[in-house]
Amino acid sequence: MRQKQLPMYGVGPIYVAVILALTGLGLGLSASGVTASGRLPGLRVPFAAVGTLLIAAGARLWYSAVFRARIDDHIKSGALATAGVYAWVRNPIYAAFFMACTGALLWAGDLWLLGLPAVYWLFLTVLMKHTEERWLLERFGREYEDYCRRVNRCIPWFPREKGGNAHD
């Protein structure tokens, strides 16, 4: 049975709330000294620089997805968004939070926190496969399958040719 309209927010608020909470918890543990054995003072500046770049890239990606691509208009009209930022990543809003939270973790300069981005990616992958990707496949069929072959789920990258395989 085809849905009339996809949900406006999908499972996004759940994903964002979970990774923001985990990021806050990780930063709190680091600041309180619980994870002090993982601190790398010699890498603090490079980690902070990369963290800053990730936060800025995440903010730009979020802005592009929300305001330039106007995803809400696509959802309301029942169209699959595949142009603009959606040609680089299938879930740019989620990817933006992933990048920003990873950047914030890098600022702490704590090796123990560097496992969290893998948790964020795994959580997003499982969540998308069991919710939004099913909805989109049901709604758009072959068009969505082709789109998935060209564009990564959560890591922005250059679009592949129509026959390419997505790897994230």
Side-chain angles (χ1 to χ4, degrees):
M1 179 167 100
R2 293 178 78 94
Q3 296 174 325
K4 292 180 182 174
Q5 180 179 325
L6 295 170
M8 184 60 74
Y9 298 107
V11 294
I14 294 167
Y15 176 72
V16 170
V18 168
I19 71 166
L20 286 174
L22 288 174
T23 300
L25 178 64
L27 293 174
L29 290 172
S30 181
S32 70
V34 171
T35 61
S37 66
R39 289 201 184 125
L40 300 170
L43 293 177
R44 181 117 172 110
V45 172
F47 274 27
V50 173
T52 300
L53 291 174
L54 280 172
I55 292 168
R60 181 178 172 131
L61 186 60
W62 180 85
Y63 177 84
S64 294
V66 173
F67 295 108
R68 296 194 70 203
R70 303 189 52 90
I71 188 61
D72 54 338
D73 290 345
H74 285 86
I75 292 170
K76 289 176 187 173
S77 69
L80 181 63
T82 60
V85 72
Y86 286 86
W88 292 76
V89 63
R90 294 193 314 253
N91 298 287
I93 297 171
Y94 307 151
F97 279 95
F98 172 87
M99 293 167 72
C101 288
T102 300
L105 293 171
L106 285 171
W107 261 90
D110 189 330
L111 275 180
W112 292 113
L113 301 183
L114 297 184
L116 284 175
V119 171
Y120 301 164
W121 175 83
L122 182 62
F123 179 47
L124 179 61
T125 298
V126 170
L127 194 62
M128 290 298 98
K129 281 186 173 187
H130 294 286
T131 58
E132 293 183 18
E133 288 183 2
R134 284 186 179 177
W135 304 337
L136 291 166
L137 185 58
E138 180 182 309
R139 173 89 177 177
F140 298 106
R142 181 80 173 163
E143 179 185 7
Y144 185 67
E145 288 175 342
D146 291 343
Y147 175 59
C148 290
R149 278 190 280 282
R150 292 189 316 271
V151 180
N152 286 339
R153 176 182 293 114
C154 56
I155 299 172
W157 197 250
F158 301 102
R160 285 172 287 288
E161 298 298 318
K162 289 200 179 238
N165 291 319
H167 296 284
D168 73 330

